[in-house]
């Protein structure tokens, strides 16, 4: 079974939803995660702090250089992720559709390279 990354695409300039809207999104996400678990497709999921909390680590001439974020300027950033097990891309895209409904945000679906050890 392949593993797929479902990336939650968050607009960088967007305001946070109102508390009641955010509460509904969290409930919908909980339902989505329970459905993943019941189907045996759950691997991991979690939200991320904003890009300003990022630190980029690079190696140059043997030294580790650290740069506080956000490193890349963009209209969007990854706001969270979910790793799922799916037999094929069509199944992973169906999980992506459900994630988009739950989060109300775009979801990027990408397969991992090669086989993933379980």
């Amino acid at each position: 079974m392949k593993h797929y990354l479902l990336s939650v695409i968050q607009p960088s300039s967007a305001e946070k939803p109102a508390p009641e809207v955010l509460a509904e999104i969290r409930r919908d996400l909980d339902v989505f995660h329970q459905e993943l678990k019941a189907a045996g497709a759950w691997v991991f999921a979690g939200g991320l702090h904003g890009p300003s909390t990022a630190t980029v680590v690079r190696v140059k001439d043997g030294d580790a250089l650290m740069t506080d974020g956000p490193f890349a300027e963009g209209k969007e950033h990854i706001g969270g992720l979910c790793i799922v097990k799916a037999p094929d891309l069509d199944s992973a895209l169906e999980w992506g559709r459900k994630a988009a409904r739950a989060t109300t945000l775009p979801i990027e679906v990408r397969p991992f390279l090669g086989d993933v050890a379980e």
Side-chain angles (χ1 to χ4, degrees), residues 17-25 27:
E20 61 276 5
V21 173
L22 195 53
E24 184 176 342
I25 290 169
R27 282 191 301 272

Side-chain angles (χ1 to χ4, degrees), residues 44-86:
F44 175 81
L48 299 171
H49 287 279
S52 65
T53 65
T55 302
V56 176
V57 181
R58 295 178 187 272
V59 175
K60 184 174 181 178
D61 299 326
D63 292 327
L65 305 173
M66 295 182 208
T67 306
D68 290 336
F71 181 74
E73 295 292 326
K75 294 180 182 179
E76 301 172 325
H77 62 273
I78 297 176
L81 59 99
C82 183
I83 300 171
V84 300
K85 292 184 275 188

Side-chain angles (χ1 to χ4, degrees), residues 76-118:
E76 301 172 325
H77 62 273
I78 297 176
L81 59 99
C82 183
I83 300 171
V84 300
K85 292 184 275 188
D88 53 40
L89 179 59
D90 288 338
S91 297
L93 291 171
E94 180 61 18
W95 287 120
R97 183 187 65 74
K98 291 178 181 188
R101 280 199 174 139
T103 63
T104 71
L105 295 168
I107 302 293
E108 179 186 57
V109 178
R110 295 177 69 181
F112 280 85
L113 290 172
D115 294 327
V116 179
E118 294 196 37

